[in-house]
Structures are given as C-alpha cells and as structure tokens.
Amino acid sequence: MDSQNIYVLGIESSCDDTAASVIYNGKILSNVIASQKIHEEYGGVVPELASRAHQQNIVPVVHNALKKAGITKEELNAIAFTRGPGLMGSLLVGTSFAKSLAYGLNIPLIDVNHMQGHILAHYIEEEGFEKPPFPFLAMTISGGHTQIVKVNHYFDMEVIGETIDDAVGEAFDKSGKILGLGYPAGPEIDKRAKLGNPKAFQFTKPKVDGLNFSFSGLKTGILYFVQRETKKNPKFVEENLNDICASIQYTIIVILVDKLKKASKDTGIKHIAIGGGVSANSGIRQALKDGEQKFGWTTYVPKFEYTTDNAAMIAIVGYLKYLEGYSTEQNVMASARLKI
C-alpha cells in the first residue's frame, strides 16, 4: 500500500467524550474532543445521558476536526472508529456515524479496538517522543481498564495481566467519593498527594496471583478506615485530607509497579510503556521514571493529550491498518466487551 498522502479520520465515542481526529501520514493534524460535564453531578458516567450527548456532539466535532486539519471530507482515504470496548449506547453512535460517512464517501471503513488505541498512541509522529521497539510491555490504566499487555507487533498483542474487579481509575474515583471529593477524583487526589505524606497511613495491598490486579478490597479498606477515624474525630478527613490522598496514591502506585516488576522479570522485557487516562497521574509517571534507575527499564509515556480518551489514538491505529490493506465490512457491529 502506498504510504504517501494518506488522510484518515478517527472517531472515538466509547464513553463520555466525543472525539474526532485527522491523521496525515502518521502525523496528527487535528484532535478535537467534546467532554460531557453533565456526569459530574451524578458522580459517574450515566450511559443513557452519554449516548444522547454523543448524538448532539458528533457532527460538529467531526466538522471541526476536518476544518482544523484544513481538508474536506472528500480528501479522506479512510475512516477509523472505536468498535469497542466501552458503553454500548455510546459506541453505537460513533459506529453508525462512521459506517454512514464511509459508505457515502465510498472509502474504506476501519474498526479499532479502544485498548489497542491507547497502546499504539505511542506511534503517533510527535517531536521529542520516542517510539517503543518491539517487543515491549504496555500498561493501560484508565477508568474502565487496567491491563498489562505484551506487545510483539502492532497487531500482535497478548494480555498477560488485568484487573479481576475494579479498574485503577475506579479506585481513585471511589476513594475520592468516600473523601467527599468531586468526580472525577483522580486529578484532585494527585494534586493533594503532592502536598501530603505518602506514608502517613497504611492501606492493605490486595494479594492477587500472577499479574492480575484487584482494587475492590483497597476501596473497602479505605471506606472502613475513614468510618473508623471519623467516629473518633468528625473532622478527621478535613484535617488530614492531603495525607490521606498521598497515602492512597502511594498504595495504588506500589500495586502497579510491583506487577510491572514481575511482568518485566517474567518476560525479560525492559521496555515499558503506559497509556490510558490514569497515566496522566504525576505520581505514576514519576514512579515509572524511577524504574529506569532502579530496574534498568526504558520507559515511554505518551504526550499528555493522547493519554485520556481521544480520537488521535484511533486515527493512528486506522492509519497503520490502512497501510496493511485492512478494511472492515459495513455489517460490522459495536462490541461493548471487545477483547484485544
């Protein structure tokens, strides 16, 4: 396949962000995201509200992405979209729109796995960012997913560890809810953790065999800890909030790093990449950098805007698939539990 002058439109609608991006020969020309603020008052994403907002946002978002890229829809060579995993109603909006647009323009339609997008975002042409060589280990950490993936090639991936209950993002959000913080709580915990003592309070780390994760026990332990301490002192959370946040974040980071250490030892792979919304956490990024000195790792962290849900990562996967001559049929269906 000729790799010259290829424009691919990427569409992402797996959860509560409607996004569209245009990629040109591996370089991002536009990356437009419409976030949905309505979920904040509910303390989490409401699927039906998310679907309705996607329907309202998708046309203006795609229009804006094409406009910022400086091209017309007729110049597109292919359309890539998130097929899954994600919220079914949200996925259906992006899938239906992508199928219709590709059909109308008579160009290839390319389905993308959202989790592969987080991993392959590292291959977007971006100055100052190294691309991990194969094979490498990828840790994808987000509100809905926590996985360690052995990446042998672009589309040869093996999940070697994953959460058996809550994702790491849920651990942050649920802990934040217990502490009375807003949604999403991850950024606020990260901010307060910088001001607190990470060893002020000890929380039990779940014992899970192999490379799998569990965060539901940690959440329950934090709940019981807060209930116990506030009985003694009703102002305990208010007076110790920064220390509590620092201790929670420290515990989560130790859980993640311990599993990465084991994965690296078991596979012999020292190239480590992270992706997903929680990879924006400053403590996790620092722990990964520390791993270069402690464990001899070479680490890869994507550009900040490519960590949370975005369409640039969908566009790069679409571009790489297009180069391999891949396209999908019009009868493709969204899949809420799509596996890598």
Side-chain angles (χ1 to χ4, degrees), residues 127-174:
E127 195 174 328
F129 288 82
E130 296 285 324
K131 298 173 185 175
F134 301 114
F136 67 93
L137 295 177
M139 176 178 273
T140 52
I141 44 178
S142 66
H145 304 277
T146 304
Q147 295 179 331
I148 299 177
V149 182
K150 183 171 177 272
V151 185
N152 301 308
H153 202 258
Y154 295 127
F155 304 110
D156 179 7
M157 301 181 184
E158 177 191 358
V159 178
I160 59 174
E162 60 188 336
T163 182
I164 59 173
D165 42 57
D166 288 351
V168 65
E170 290 176 289
F172 275 112
D173 288 336
K174 289 176 179 178

mmCIF file of all heavy atoms in Angstrom, residues 127-174:
data_model
loop_
_atom_site.group_PDB
_atom_site.id
_atom_site.type_symbol
_atom_site.label_atom_id
_atom_site.label_comp_id
_atom_site.label_asym_id
_atom_site.label_seq_id
_atom_site.Cartn_x
_atom_site.Cartn_y
_atom_site.Cartn_z
ATOM 1 N N GLU A 127 7.292 15.118 17.787
ATOM 2 C CA GLU A 127 8.665 15.520 18.077
ATOM 3 C C GLU A 127 8.967 15.410 19.571
ATOM 4 O O GLU A 127 8.182 15.836 20.420
ATOM 5 C CB GLU A 127 8.880 16.968 17.613
ATOM 6 C CG GLU A 127 10.344 17.357 17.530
ATOM 7 C CD GLU A 127 10.541 18.756 16.932
ATOM 8 O OE1 GLU A 127 9.730 19.155 16.077
ATOM 9 O OE2 GLU A 127 11.490 19.415 17.349
ATOM 10 N N GLY A 128 10.102 14.798 19.897
ATOM 11 C CA GLY A 128 10.522 14.679 21.287
ATOM 12 C C GLY A 128 9.999 13.445 22.009
ATOM 13 O O GLY A 128 10.263 13.265 23.199
ATOM 14 N N PHE A 129 9.251 12.598 21.293
ATOM 15 C CA PHE A 129 8.708 11.387 21.902
ATOM 16 C C PHE A 129 9.218 10.154 21.170
ATOM 17 O O PHE A 129 9.051 10.023 19.965
ATOM 18 C CB PHE A 129 7.174 11.407 21.889
ATOM 19 C CG PHE A 129 6.574 12.382 22.863
ATOM 20 C CD1 PHE A 129 6.459 13.729 22.534
ATOM 21 C CD2 PHE A 129 6.141 11.973 24.113
ATOM 22 C CE1 PHE A 129 5.917 14.647 23.421
ATOM 23 C CE2 PHE A 129 5.600 12.875 25.014
ATOM 24 C CZ PHE A 129 5.491 14.207 24.666
ATOM 25 N N GLU A 130 9.872 9.257 21.939
ATOM 26 C CA GLU A 130 10.410 8.018 21.371
ATOM 27 C C GLU A 130 9.303 6.982 21.194
ATOM 28 O O GLU A 130 8.344 6.946 21.962
ATOM 29 C CB GLU A 130 11.484 7.446 22.301
ATOM 30 C CG GLU A 130 12.719 8.336 22.466
ATOM 31 C CD GLU A 130 13.619 8.308 21.246
ATOM 32 O OE1 GLU A 130 13.734 7.240 20.616
ATOM 33 O OE2 GLU A 130 14.190 9.365 20.923
ATOM 34 N N LYS A 131 9.478 6.122 20.185
ATOM 35 C CA LYS A 131 8.537 5.025 19.970
ATOM 36 C C LYS A 131 9.138 3.741 20.539
ATOM 37 O O LYS A 131 10.302 3.442 20.269
ATOM 38 C CB LYS A 131 8.265 4.849 18.473
ATOM 39 C CG LYS A 131 7.631 6.070 17.816
ATOM 40 C CD LYS A 131 7.546 5.888 16.313
ATOM 41 C CE LYS A 131 7.025 7.162 15.653
ATOM 42 N NZ LYS A 131 7.034 7.069 14.194
ATOM 43 N N PRO A 132 8.381 2.992 21.315
ATOM 44 C CA PRO A 132 8.937 1.762 21.899
ATOM 45 C C PRO A 132 9.216 0.706 20.825
ATOM 46 O O PRO A 132 8.395 0.513 19.923
ATOM 47 C CB PRO A 132 7.838 1.287 22.856
ATOM 48 C CG PRO A 132 6.589 1.960 22.404
ATOM 49 C CD PRO A 132 6.982 3.241 21.757
ATOM 50 N N PRO A 133 10.359 0.017 20.919
ATOM 51 C CA PRO A 133 10.659 -1.061 19.972
ATOM 52 C C PRO A 133 9.947 -2.353 20.397
ATOM 53 O O PRO A 133 9.667 -2.543 21.580
ATOM 54 C CB PRO A 133 12.176 -1.212 20.090
ATOM 55 C CG PRO A 133 12.466 -0.820 21.511
ATOM 56 C CD PRO A 133 11.453 0.222 21.890
ATOM 57 N N PHE A 134 9.663 -3.207 19.445
ATOM 58 C CA PHE A 134 9.038 -4.499 19.764
ATOM 59 C C PHE A 134 10.109 -5.491 20.209
ATOM 60 O O PHE A 134 11.226 -5.462 19.696
ATOM 61 C CB PHE A 134 8.306 -5.038 18.530
ATOM 62 C CG PHE A 134 7.226 -4.132 18.009
ATOM 63 C CD1 PHE A 134 7.355 -3.542 16.761
ATOM 64 C CD2 PHE A 134 6.080 -3.880 18.749
ATOM 65 C CE1 PHE A 134 6.367 -2.705 16.263
ATOM 66 C CE2 PHE A 134 5.085 -3.037 18.264
ATOM 67 C CZ PHE A 134 5.229 -2.449 17.011
ATOM 68 N N PRO A 135 9.792 -6.394 21.161
ATOM 69 C CA PRO A 135 8.565 -6.395 21.965
ATOM 70 C C PRO A 135 8.682 -5.427 23.140
ATOM 71 O O PRO A 135 9.779 -5.109 23.579
ATOM 72 C CB PRO A 135 8.500 -7.845 22.458
ATOM 73 C CG PRO A 135 9.938 -8.252 22.592
ATOM 74 C CD PRO A 135 10.670 -7.532 21.493
ATOM 75 N N PHE A 136 7.543 -4.982 23.647
ATOM 76 C CA PHE A 136 7.540 -4.143 24.844
ATOM 77 C C PHE A 136 6.318 -4.479 25.688
ATOM 78 O O PHE A 136 5.394 -5.162 25.218
ATOM 79 C CB PHE A 136 7.592 -2.655 24.495
ATOM 80 C CG PHE A 136 6.364 -2.109 23.801
ATOM 81 C CD1 PHE A 136 5.318 -1.527 24.512
ATOM 82 C CD2 PHE A 136 6.269 -2.136 22.409
ATOM 83 C CE1 PHE A 136 4.197 -1.006 23.869
ATOM 84 C CE2 PHE A 136 5.153 -1.622 21.755
ATOM 85 C CZ PHE A 136 4.115 -1.056 22.481
ATOM 86 N N LEU A 137 6.338 -4.042 26.931
ATOM 87 C CA LEU A 137 5.195 -4.214 27.827
ATOM 88 C C LEU A 137 4.418 -2.911 27.884
ATOM 89 O O LEU A 137 5.015 -1.840 28.038
ATOM 90 C CB LEU A 137 5.656 -4.610 29.233
ATOM 91 C CG LEU A 137 6.337 -5.967 29.387
ATOM 92 C CD1 LEU A 137 6.802 -6.158 30.840
ATOM 93 C CD2 LEU A 137 5.412 -7.101 28.982
ATOM 94 N N ALA A 138 3.115 -2.996 27.762
ATOM 95 C CA ALA A 138 2.259 -1.811 27.857
ATOM 96 C C ALA A 138 1.309 -1.977 29.033
ATOM 97 O O ALA A 138 0.636 -3.006 29.155
ATOM 98 C CB ALA A 138 1.470 -1.623 26.571
ATOM 99 N N MET A 139 1.290 -0.976 29.904
ATOM 100 C CA MET A 139 0.305 -0.965 30.983
ATOM 101 C C MET A 139 -0.755 0.073 30.635
ATOM 102 O O MET A 139 -0.457 1.261 30.522
ATOM 103 C CB MET A 139 0.941 -0.621 32.331
ATOM 104 C CG MET A 139 -0.082 -0.513 33.457
ATOM 105 S SD MET A 139 0.665 -0.175 35.071
ATOM 106 C CE MET A 139 1.032 -1.833 35.607
ATOM 107 N N THR A 140 -1.982 -0.397 30.415
ATOM 108 C CA THR A 140 -3.081 0.519 30.103
ATOM 109 C C THR A 140 -3.917 0.688 31.368
ATOM 110 O O THR A 140 -4.462 -0.285 31.892
ATOM 111 C CB THR A 140 -3.947 -0.025 28.951
ATOM 112 O OG1 THR A 140 -4.343 -1.366 29.248
ATOM 113 C CG2 THR A 140 -3.169 -0.032 27.650
ATOM 114 N N ILE A 141 -3.976 1.918 31.845
ATOM 115 C CA ILE A 141 -4.659 2.217 33.107
ATOM 116 C C ILE A 141 -5.649 3.361 32.885
ATOM 117 O O ILE A 141 -5.273 4.452 32.485
ATOM 118 C CB ILE A 141 -3.644 2.567 34.218
ATOM 119 C CG1 ILE A 141 -2.544 3.507 33.704
ATOM 120 C CG2 ILE A 141 -3.021 1.308 34.777
ATOM 121 C CD1 ILE A 141 -1.532 3.925 34.761
ATOM 122 N N SER A 142 -6.924 3.066 33.134
ATOM 123 C CA SER A 142 -7.958 4.078 32.890
ATOM 124 C C SER A 142 -9.112 3.867 33.855
ATOM 125 O O SER A 142 -9.039 3.048 34.776
ATOM 126 C CB SER A 142 -8.454 3.978 31.444
ATOM 127 O OG SER A 142 -9.132 2.747 31.236
ATOM 128 N N GLY A 143 -10.196 4.602 33.623
ATOM 129 C CA GLY A 143 -11.370 4.479 34.482
ATOM 130 C C GLY A 143 -12.065 3.141 34.360
ATOM 131 O O GLY A 143 -12.736 2.682 35.283
ATOM 132 N N GLY A 144 -11.908 2.502 33.205
ATOM 133 C CA GLY A 144 -12.608 1.238 32.983
ATOM 134 C C GLY A 144 -11.702 0.040 32.784
ATOM 135 O O GLY A 144 -12.181 -1.091 32.711
ATOM 136 N N HIS A 145 -10.389 0.269 32.672
ATOM 137 C CA HIS A 145 -9.484 -0.831 32.328
ATOM 138 C C HIS A 145 -8.164 -0.730 33.087
ATOM 139 O O HIS A 145 -7.655 0.359 33.324
ATOM 140 C CB HIS A 145 -9.190 -0.828 30.822
ATOM 141 C CG HIS A 145 -10.415 -0.889 29.979
ATOM 142 N ND1 HIS A 145 -11.061 -2.054 29.666
ATOM 143 C CD2 HIS A 145 -11.146 0.101 29.398
ATOM 144 C CE1 HIS A 145 -12.132 -1.794 28.931
ATOM 145 N NE2 HIS A 145 -12.198 -0.498 28.750
ATOM 146 N N THR A 146 -7.617 -1.881 33.439
ATOM 147 C CA THR A 146 -6.262 -1.979 33.979
ATOM 148 C C THR A 146 -5.672 -3.274 33.426
ATOM 149 O O THR A 146 -6.150 -4.365 33.759
ATOM 150 C CB THR A 146 -6.262 -2.014 35.517
ATOM 151 O OG1 THR A 146 -6.944 -0.849 36.011
ATOM 152 C CG2 THR A 146 -4.840 -2.015 36.061
ATOM 153 N N GLN A 147 -4.692 -3.150 32.541
ATOM 154 C CA GLN A 147 -4.127 -4.326 31.871
ATOM 155 C C GLN A 147 -2.619 -4.186 31.715
ATOM 156 O O GLN A 147 -2.103 -3.073 31.607
ATOM 157 C CB GLN A 147 -4.714 -4.482 30.452
ATOM 158 C CG GLN A 147 -6.190 -4.775 30.391
ATOM 159 C CD GLN A 147 -6.693 -4.899 28.955
ATOM 160 O OE1 GLN A 147 -6.144 -4.287 28.038
ATOM 161 N NE2 GLN A 147 -7.732 -5.684 28.751
ATOM 162 N N ILE A 148 -1.937 -5.325 31.704
ATOM 163 C CA ILE A 148 -0.555 -5.379 31.239
ATOM 164 C C ILE A 148 -0.569 -6.211 29.963
ATOM 165 O O ILE A 148 -1.074 -7.339 29.949
ATOM 166 C CB ILE A 148 0.393 -6.006 32.277
ATOM 167 C CG1 ILE A 148 0.403 -5.178 33.564
ATOM 168 C CG2 ILE A 148 1.814 -6.094 31.715
ATOM 169 C CD1 ILE A 148 1.257 -5.779 34.680
ATOM 170 N N VAL A 149 -0.052 -5.636 28.896
ATOM 171 C CA VAL A 149 -0.104 -6.277 27.578
ATOM 172 C C VAL A 149 1.314 -6.460 27.041
ATOM 173 O O VAL A 149 2.115 -5.527 27.058
ATOM 174 C CB VAL A 149 -0.931 -5.423 26.585
ATOM 175 C CG1 VAL A 149 -1.035 -6.118 25.226
ATOM 176 C CG2 VAL A 149 -2.322 -5.135 27.150
ATOM 177 N N LYS A 150 1.598 -7.663 26.572
ATOM 178 C CA LYS A 150 2.864 -7.930 25.883
ATOM 179 C C LYS A 150 2.633 -7.638 24.406
ATOM 180 O O LYS A 150 1.784 -8.256 23.759
ATOM 181 C CB LYS A 150 3.291 -9.384 26.085
ATOM 182 C CG LYS A 150 4.637 -9.737 25.456
ATOM 183 C CD LYS A 150 5.076 -11.129 25.900
ATOM 184 C CE LYS A 150 6.373 -11.532 25.217
ATOM 185 N NZ LYS A 150 6.138 -12.189 23.919
ATOM 186 N N VAL A 151 3.373 -6.654 23.900
ATOM 187 C CA VAL A 151 3.171 -6.198 22.518
ATOM 188 C C VAL A 151 4.331 -6.697 21.653
ATOM 189 O O VAL A 151 5.461 -6.241 21.785
ATOM 190 C CB VAL A 151 3.085 -4.651 22.458
ATOM 191 C CG1 VAL A 151 2.743 -4.202 21.040
ATOM 192 C CG2 VAL A 151 2.054 -4.126 23.452
ATOM 193 N N ASN A 152 4.035 -7.654 20.787
ATOM 194 C CA ASN A 152 5.055 -8.229 19.903
ATOM 195 C C ASN A 152 5.163 -7.467 18.589
ATOM 196 O O ASN A 152 6.224 -7.409 17.982
ATOM 197 C CB ASN A 152 4.730 -9.697 19.615
ATOM 198 C CG ASN A 152 4.673 -10.531 20.879
ATOM 199 O OD1 ASN A 152 5.599 -10.510 21.682
ATOM 200 N ND2 ASN A 152 3.576 -11.243 21.081
ATOM 201 N N HIS A 153 4.043 -6.925 18.146
ATOM 202 C CA HIS A 153 3.997 -6.103 16.928
ATOM 203 C C HIS A 153 2.727 -5.270 17.003
ATOM 204 O O HIS A 153 1.939 -5.402 17.942
ATOM 205 C CB HIS A 153 4.025 -6.991 15.672
ATOM 206 C CG HIS A 153 4.506 -6.256 14.453
ATOM 207 N ND1 HIS A 153 3.646 -5.788 13.486
ATOM 208 C CD2 HIS A 153 5.755 -5.892 14.067
ATOM 209 C CE1 HIS A 153 4.352 -5.168 12.532
ATOM 210 N NE2 HIS A 153 5.629 -5.211 12.867
ATOM 211 N N TYR A 154 2.499 -4.405 15.995
ATOM 212 C CA TYR A 154 1.340 -3.513 16.036
ATOM 213 C C TYR A 154 0.048 -4.250 16.387
ATOM 214 O O TYR A 154 -0.732 -3.800 17.216
ATOM 215 C CB TYR A 154 1.148 -2.806 14.687
ATOM 216 C CG TYR A 154 2.258 -1.861 14.307
ATOM 217 C CD1 TYR A 154 2.896 -1.975 13.064
ATOM 218 C CD2 TYR A 154 2.667 -0.843 15.162
ATOM 219 C CE1 TYR A 154 3.915 -1.109 12.693
ATOM 220 C CE2 TYR A 154 3.681 0.029 14.805
ATOM 221 C CZ TYR A 154 4.311 -0.107 13.568
ATOM 222 O OH TYR A 154 5.307 0.755 13.213
ATOM 223 N N PHE A 155 -0.187 -5.376 15.744
ATOM 224 C CA PHE A 155 -1.448 -6.081 15.940
ATOM 225 C C PHE A 155 -1.244 -7.509 16.450
ATOM 226 O O PHE A 155 -2.068 -8.380 16.224
ATOM 227 C CB PHE A 155 -2.263 -6.040 14.643
ATOM 228 C CG PHE A 155 -2.490 -4.628 14.165
ATOM 229 C CD1 PHE A 155 -1.863 -4.153 13.021
ATOM 230 C CD2 PHE A 155 -3.272 -3.751 14.900
ATOM 231 C CE1 PHE A 155 -2.031 -2.843 12.606
ATOM 232 C CE2 PHE A 155 -3.443 -2.438 14.501
ATOM 233 C CZ PHE A 155 -2.827 -1.977 13.355
ATOM 234 N N ASP A 156 -0.133 -7.688 17.128
ATOM 235 C CA ASP A 156 0.146 -8.954 17.804
ATOM 236 C C ASP A 156 0.356 -8.645 19.283
ATOM 237 O O ASP A 156 1.454 -8.307 19.716
ATOM 238 C CB ASP A 156 1.390 -9.624 17.193
ATOM 239 C CG ASP A 156 1.741 -10.943 17.877
ATOM 240 O OD1 ASP A 156 0.956 -11.401 18.735
ATOM 241 O OD2 ASP A 156 2.810 -11.505 17.551
ATOM 242 N N MET A 157 -0.745 -8.702 20.046
ATOM 243 C CA MET A 157 -0.726 -8.329 21.454
ATOM 244 C C MET A 157 -1.319 -9.436 22.310
ATOM 245 O O MET A 157 -2.261 -10.111 21.891
ATOM 246 C CB MET A 157 -1.535 -7.041 21.691
ATOM 247 C CG MET A 157 -1.057 -5.838 20.907
ATOM 248 S SD MET A 157 -2.054 -4.369 21.285
ATOM 249 C CE MET A 157 -1.324 -3.174 20.140
ATOM 250 N N GLU A 158 -0.776 -9.589 23.509
ATOM 251 C CA GLU A 158 -1.256 -10.612 24.437
ATOM 252 C C GLU A 158 -1.448 -9.989 25.822
ATOM 253 O O GLU A 158 -0.509 -9.434 26.393
ATOM 254 C CB GLU A 158 -0.228 -11.749 24.516
ATOM 255 C CG GLU A 158 -0.590 -12.844 25.501
ATOM 256 C CD GLU A 158 0.555 -13.808 25.757
ATOM 257 O OE1 GLU A 158 1.636 -13.662 25.135
ATOM 258 O OE2 GLU A 158 0.374 -14.700 26.606
ATOM 259 N N VAL A 159 -2.671 -10.070 26.335
ATOM 260 C CA VAL A 159 -2.949 -9.574 27.688
ATOM 261 C C VAL A 159 -2.398 -10.593 28.680
ATOM 262 O O VAL A 159 -2.842 -11.741 28.712
ATOM 263 C CB VAL A 159 -4.459 -9.373 27.922
ATOM 264 C CG1 VAL A 159 -4.717 -8.910 29.358
ATOM 265 C CG2 VAL A 159 -5.029 -8.356 26.933
ATOM 266 N N ILE A 160 -1.415 -10.183 29.490
ATOM 267 C CA ILE A 160 -0.795 -11.111 30.448
ATOM 268 C C ILE A 160 -1.216 -10.819 31.886
ATOM 269 O O ILE A 160 -0.907 -11.581 32.790
ATOM 270 C CB ILE A 160 0.748 -11.111 30.312
ATOM 271 C CG1 ILE A 160 1.326 -9.712 30.554
ATOM 272 C CG2 ILE A 160 1.160 -11.648 28.948
ATOM 273 C CD1 ILE A 160 2.866 -9.686 30.564
ATOM 274 N N GLY A 161 -1.936 -9.726 32.088
ATOM 275 C CA GLY A 161 -2.452 -9.394 33.416
ATOM 276 C C GLY A 161 -3.549 -8.355 33.308
ATOM 277 O O GLY A 161 -3.477 -7.464 32.463
ATOM 278 N N GLU A 162 -4.593 -8.469 34.137
ATOM 279 C CA GLU A 162 -5.682 -7.486 34.114
ATOM 280 C C GLU A 162 -6.426 -7.501 35.437
ATOM 281 O O GLU A 162 -6.253 -8.417 36.253
ATOM 282 C CB GLU A 162 -6.640 -7.748 32.952
ATOM 283 C CG GLU A 162 -7.321 -9.104 32.976
ATOM 284 C CD GLU A 162 -8.097 -9.374 31.701
ATOM 285 O OE1 GLU A 162 -8.494 -8.401 31.025
ATOM 286 O OE2 GLU A 162 -8.301 -10.545 31.380
ATOM 287 N N THR A 163 -7.265 -6.498 35.653
ATOM 288 C CA THR A 163 -8.000 -6.426 36.907
ATOM 289 C C THR A 163 -9.086 -7.489 36.939
ATOM 290 O O THR A 163 -9.684 -7.817 35.907
ATOM 291 C CB THR A 163 -8.613 -5.034 37.118
ATOM 292 O OG1 THR A 163 -9.273 -5.011 38.391
ATOM 293 C CG2 THR A 163 -9.627 -4.677 36.036
ATOM 294 N N ILE A 164 -9.329 -8.024 38.127
ATOM 295 C CA ILE A 164 -10.397 -9.008 38.269
ATOM 296 C C ILE A 164 -11.663 -8.360 38.835
ATOM 297 O O ILE A 164 -12.682 -9.013 38.984
ATOM 298 C CB ILE A 164 -9.951 -10.188 39.180
ATOM 299 C CG1 ILE A 164 -9.554 -9.701 40.579
ATOM 300 C CG2 ILE A 164 -8.807 -10.948 38.527
ATOM 301 C CD1 ILE A 164 -9.256 -10.819 41.570
ATOM 302 N N ASP A 165 -11.580 -7.054 39.137
ATOM 303 C CA ASP A 165 -12.771 -6.334 39.619
ATOM 304 C C ASP A 165 -12.716 -4.871 39.164
ATOM 305 O O ASP A 165 -12.898 -4.581 37.980
ATOM 306 C CB ASP A 165 -12.936 -6.455 41.138
ATOM 307 C CG ASP A 165 -11.617 -6.320 41.909
ATOM 308 O OD1 ASP A 165 -10.959 -5.278 41.736
ATOM 309 O OD2 ASP A 165 -11.258 -7.235 42.666
ATOM 310 N N ASP A 166 -12.434 -3.947 40.065
ATOM 311 C CA ASP A 166 -12.395 -2.524 39.702
ATOM 312 C C ASP A 166 -11.138 -2.193 38.898
ATOM 313 O O ASP A 166 -10.087 -2.809 39.078
ATOM 314 C CB ASP A 166 -12.394 -1.649 40.966
ATOM 315 C CG ASP A 166 -13.744 -1.646 41.663
ATOM 316 O OD1 ASP A 166 -14.707 -2.170 41.083
ATOM 317 O OD2 ASP A 166 -13.826 -1.127 42.792
ATOM 318 N N ALA A 167 -11.252 -1.200 38.043
ATOM 319 C CA ALA A 167 -10.082 -0.648 37.360
ATOM 320 C C ALA A 167 -9.414 0.370 38.275
ATOM 321 O O ALA A 167 -10.011 0.834 39.250
ATOM 322 C CB ALA A 167 -10.498 0.013 36.048
ATOM 323 N N VAL A 168 -8.176 0.738 37.935
ATOM 324 C CA VAL A 168 -7.437 1.671 38.789
ATOM 325 C C VAL A 168 -8.124 3.041 38.840
ATOM 326 O O VAL A 168 -8.146 3.701 39.886
ATOM 327 C CB VAL A 168 -5.958 1.776 38.343
ATOM 328 C CG1 VAL A 168 -5.836 2.392 36.957
ATOM 329 C CG2 VAL A 168 -5.145 2.579 39.352
ATOM 330 N N GLY A 169 -8.718 3.466 37.739
ATOM 331 C CA GLY A 169 -9.429 4.746 37.728
ATOM 332 C C GLY A 169 -10.617 4.741 38.667
ATOM 333 O O GLY A 169 -10.919 5.747 39.326
ATOM 334 N N GLU A 170 -11.292 3.579 38.756
ATOM 335 C CA GLU A 170 -12.411 3.442 39.689
ATOM 336 C C GLU A 170 -11.922 3.511 41.136
ATOM 337 O O GLU A 170 -12.622 4.041 42.007
ATOM 338 C CB GLU A 170 -13.129 2.112 39.452
ATOM 339 C CG GLU A 170 -13.908 2.042 38.151
ATOM 340 C CD GLU A 170 -14.519 0.668 37.922
ATOM 341 O OE1 GLU A 170 -13.750 -0.272 37.648
ATOM 342 O OE2 GLU A 170 -15.758 0.546 38.015
ATOM 343 N N ALA A 171 -10.743 2.956 41.384
ATOM 344 C CA ALA A 171 -10.169 3.009 42.730
ATOM 345 C C ALA A 171 -9.956 4.463 43.159
ATOM 346 O O ALA A 171 -10.263 4.843 44.293
ATOM 347 C CB ALA A 171 -8.854 2.241 42.777
ATOM 348 N N PHE A 172 -9.451 5.290 42.236
ATOM 349 C CA PHE A 172 -9.269 6.713 42.536
ATOM 350 C C PHE A 172 -10.626 7.393 42.745
ATOM 351 O O PHE A 172 -10.818 8.135 43.724
ATOM 352 C CB PHE A 172 -8.521 7.409 41.394
ATOM 353 C CG PHE A 172 -7.028 7.299 41.487
ATOM 354 C CD1 PHE A 172 -6.306 6.551 40.560
ATOM 355 C CD2 PHE A 172 -6.321 7.958 42.487
ATOM 356 C CE1 PHE A 172 -4.921 6.457 40.634
ATOM 357 C CE2 PHE A 172 -4.941 7.869 42.580
ATOM 358 C CZ PHE A 172 -4.239 7.112 41.651
ATOM 359 N N ASP A 173 -11.570 7.161 41.829
ATOM 360 C CA ASP A 173 -12.863 7.849 41.894
ATOM 361 C C ASP A 173 -13.682 7.443 43.119
ATOM 362 O O ASP A 173 -14.299 8.291 43.776
ATOM 363 C CB ASP A 173 -13.674 7.583 40.621
ATOM 364 C CG ASP A 173 -13.113 8.318 39.412
ATOM 365 O OD1 ASP A 173 -12.437 9.345 39.611
ATOM 366 O OD2 ASP A 173 -13.350 7.873 38.270
ATOM 367 N N LYS A 174 -13.672 6.140 43.437
ATOM 368 C CA LYS A 174 -14.450 5.674 44.586
ATOM 369 C C LYS A 174 -13.818 6.126 45.904
ATOM 370 O O LYS A 174 -14.525 6.453 46.860
ATOM 371 C CB LYS A 174 -14.607 4.154 44.529
ATOM 372 C CG LYS A 174 -15.548 3.706 43.408
ATOM 373 C CD LYS A 174 -15.642 2.190 43.278
ATOM 374 C CE LYS A 174 -16.599 1.804 42.169
ATOM 375 N NZ LYS A 174 -16.691 0.338 41.978
#
